[in-house]
Amino acid sequence: MYYGVKSSCCGPGESLAWRQARDQETTHPVPVDVFENKEGEYVIRASLPGFRREDVQVEFEDGVLTIAATRHEDRAEGAAPTTRYYLQERAQGRFERRIQFEKASGEAIRAELKDGVLTVTLARLKEAQPRSITIE
Amino acid sequence: MSDLIPREVLSFPSMRNLMRDFFSDPFFRDHGLAADEGNLALDVSEGKEGEVIVRASMPGFKREDIQLHLHNGVLSIKAESKEEKEVKEEKFYRKERRWGSVSRSVALPGNLDEGSVKAELKDGVLVVRIKPSPSAQPKRIEIK
């Protein structure tokens, strides 16, 4: 996380090399919002700026939602690998996030990527209604 | 001598278990502490022919939400998202993404032609390109 502008603005330094090395090895987390919509479904919103549909994978298995993505926009734009960075705060490489749901069903899962925001909708598992038994 | 009362010492395996239990606790497991890219993460790089390229992560923002100014080599980005108002009534389980207004100013390197700015918003990334000022090119001076 580089908040300082001046310190990292003046050409590639040690911190940048370190950052790039770390980017290659690390899986970056994806910030998410999870809420319930009016229909009672779970809605997961993940910030994935710069990702295209083909870069993003969404899986739901055993109650765990996995969002995985790889960013390589610089390569896609045909920029030389020796591009000089004055400031590099945006992480590159692999991003992943797992979220566990206790009461979600993957049957009607929907996912949409728009303006760099991934929206996944999961239905809630219907809870078994308590059944009253008449004693005869 | 009360401090000599024997008590159970945490052995290595149990300490390990403790750590494992701690980190596998749903509250900590996928906590978004590190999930924050900060207030408007930026990349500033040099493109072809000295062009300066600024990339800003602005997921969820629309073109009309963003105000962009370039003055005396300082680029200012200011944005206000309307998404927040839309989902105000929902029940939240987790809220890590930054909403509302973000702003950032960054001093750009070099002598730039401020009239040549081009900005584009695509897939939640704002890309600003500024060409170097013609006066920044080395000028050949003829010796009389």
Side-chain angles (χ1 to χ4, degrees):
Chain A
M1 254 35 57
Y2 292 95
Y3 295 107
V5 174
K6 275 183 186 155
S7 59
S8 47
C9 183
C10 306
E14 253 181 325
S15 60
L16 180 58
W18 176 81
R19 167 100 193 197
Q20 283 171 339
R22 198 191 60 168
D23 270 3
Q24 280 173 6
E25 288 167 16
T26 322
T27 299
H28 306 285
V30 179
V32 294
D33 288 344
V34 181
F35 60 90
E36 207 180 297
N37 66 11
K38 287 182 195 98
E39 288 75 38
E41 297 165 310
Y42 288 115
V43 181
I44 301 95
R45 282 216 176 122
S47 289
L48 291 168
F51 292 90
R52 286 157 302 181
R53 233 171 40 183
E54 58 267 33
D55 300 330
V56 181
Q57 273 178 302
V58 180
E59 273 171 34
F60 186 76
E61 204 186 347
D62 297 332
V64 178
L65 177 76
T66 306
I67 297 167
T70 313
R71 174 150 72 193
H72 37 68
E73 74 191 323
D74 291 350
R75 250 183 290 159
E77 281 177 26
T82 50
T83 303
R84 187 171 163 192
Y85 276 92
Y86 297 100
L87 187 63
Q88 193 177 27
E89 298 170 341
R90 301 174 56 237
Q92 299 281 325
R94 192 172 159 76
F95 292 69
E96 196 184 275
R97 189 68 192 266
R98 286 168 202 268
I99 308 154
Q100 189 165 14
F101 291 88
E102 273 173 29
K103 292 170 191 164
S105 154
E107 272 177 41
I109 187 167
R110 303 192 300 276
E112 192 198 4
L113 183 64
K114 201 188 162 204
D115 298 330
V117 179
L118 175 77
T119 306
V120 181
T121 313
L122 279 169
R124 268 177 97 101
L125 273 184
K126 286 195 178 68
E127 283 173 57
Q129 293 295 316
R131 210 157 47 122
S132 89
I133 297 141
T134 326
I135 302 161
E136 287 171 22
Chain B
M1 295 301 271
S2 62
D3 53 343
L4 287 179
I5 293 170
R7 55 186 169 144
E8 208 185 311
V9 178
L10 284 175
S11 62
F12 249 118
S14 74
M15 189 60 190
R16 196 188 288 164
N17 287 349
L18 199 73
M19 295 280 280
R20 192 198 57 206
D21 292 349
F22 180 81
F23 286 109
S24 63
D25 185 285
F27 185 75
F28 297 102
R29 189 166 35 219
D30 52 13
H31 197 276
L33 265 184
D36 195 343
E37 269 203 325
N39 183 13
L40 229 168
L42 295 180
D43 283 353
V44 180
S45 61
E46 197 181 293
K48 282 176 200 151
E49 289 155 16
E51 184 186 45
V52 170
I53 303 167
V54 181
R55 284 195 188 83
S57 287
M58 307 192 77
F61 285 94
K62 296 197 165 45
R63 230 170 44 181
E64 58 269 27
D65 300 338
I66 305 171
Q67 280 179 41
L68 205 60
H69 293 280
L70 179 64
H71 185 61
N72 289 341
V74 176
L75 181 76
S76 306
I77 304 168
K78 213 173 171 182
E80 204 169 327
S81 166
K82 287 164 185 93
E83 189 184 10
E84 187 166 15
K85 286 153 202 158
E86 284 172 30
V87 285
K88 222 171 190 170
E89 307 102 57
E90 318 287 359
K91 181 183 172 190
F92 270 87
Y93 294 100
R94 208 176 268 276
K95 212 169 182 178
E96 300 165 359
R97 298 174 51 235
R98 263 164 204 272
W99 283 357
S101 60
V102 286
S103 71
R104 183 86 190 261
S105 291
V106 63
L108 299 177
N111 194 353
L112 300 168
D113 176 11
E114 300 199 349
S116 71
V117 193
K118 275 189 191 133
E120 187 194 7
L121 182 69
K122 204 188 159 204
D123 300 332
V125 179
L126 176 74
V127 183
V128 184
R129 288 165 191 272
I130 310 118
K131 287 199 172 86
S133 160
S135 65
Q137 302 296 326
K139 226 185 215 168
R140 196 193 159 102
I141 298 147
E142 263 181 69
I143 302 160
K144 285 182 188 170

